[in-house]
Amino acid sequence: MSDLSPASLFVAGSASVRPLGHFGRAVLRCPAASLDLVAERLGIVLPREACRSAIEADVAALWLGPDEWLLLAADARDDWVATLQARMGDAVCSLVDVSHRQVALEIADGRVTAETLLASGCALDLSLRAFPVGMCTRTMYDKAEIILWRRAPDRFHLETWRSFARYVEGLLHVAETEA
């Protein structure tokens, strides 16, 4: 397996921000007419409601747009997406492996709440009422595009492109020390 360790300024030393391990990532683009067939063949649930997620068979599907989902599988093998593509068969969809493009961070309550840390660079209302558990979205953290997914009342999963990882982590670290 390739070296997929996250790019990180600080692996330890933060109570609230920690790099997550390797994830298999794939972007699925699929028209509405093919969703039921694709979900059945892949053995996963594809959320149909905007900005929602679903987890089944150790694969998370995050709704990113009317015809776009990010599929995440922890500790996936290098051939994970090829296996999914074979199972899709003749379904009219696109499935692209983006595993090496992104890294994941967990933002959790510590001395500072996860919402407060993220609010330092994200304009969204991240209160539990406005951004409940299971909600996800593509947004900005300062000047970096991120995908933000609320996993628990006190915890977020943040995906960012590998080239922005140090930048995003560094800003979160500054926000944590200044809060």
Side-chain angles (χ1 to χ4, degrees):
M1 185 181 293
S2 306
D3 176 18
L4 301 173
S5 56
S8 176
L9 275 178
F10 55 99
V11 174
S14 172
S16 298
V17 180
R18 72 178 184 93
L20 295 174
H22 170 65
F23 281 83
R25 296 171 179 85
V27 172
L28 174 66
R29 301 295 303 252
C30 192
S34 301
L35 285 179
D36 291 331
L37 174 66
V38 169
E40 179 184 323
R41 287 184 180 173
L42 296 181
I44 60 174
V45 174
L46 294 173
R48 311 290 171 97
E49 188 178 351
C51 300
R52 295 296 187 247
S53 62
I55 301 173
E56 186 167 322
D58 298 326
V59 176
L62 282 61
W63 186 98
L64 297 180
D67 69 343
E68 182 180 7
W69 292 263
L70 175 64
L71 306 181
L72 297 170
D75 298 318
R77 296 169 29 138
D78 284 343
D79 64 348
W80 175 69
V81 174
T83 301
L84 292 179
Q85 288 170 331
R87 290 185 2 210
M88 283 186 4
D90 61 352
V92 179
C93 289
S94 168
L95 186 66
V96 178
D97 188 344
V98 295
S99 300
H100 293 48
R101 178 182 77 183
Q102 294 170 202
V103 295
L105 299 171
E106 180 179 74
I107 316 302
D109 284 2
R111 187 180 60 78
V112 180
T113 68
E115 291 172 11
T116 299
L117 278 180
L118 290 165
S120 68
C122 181
L124 296 177
D125 179 354
L126 298 175
S127 67
L128 194 53
R129 176 191 45 76
F131 204 94
V133 173
M135 188 166 184
C136 59
T137 192
R138 180 182 288 136
T139 189
M140 299 295 291
Y141 183 78
D142 198 59
K143 295 179 182 179
E145 182 179 303
I146 63 170
I147 296 171
L148 195 58
W149 176 27
R150 185 172 219 136
R151 300 294 314 263
D154 63 344
R155 185 168 30 109
F156 292 85
H157 177 116
L158 183 151
E159 292 274 326
T160 189
W161 285 23
R162 187 174 292 278
S163 58
F164 289 109
R166 288 189 173 111
Y167 172 73
V168 170
E169 272 188 325
L171 290 174
L172 287 164
H173 181 62
V174 168
E176 184 178 26
T177 58
E178 291 181 352

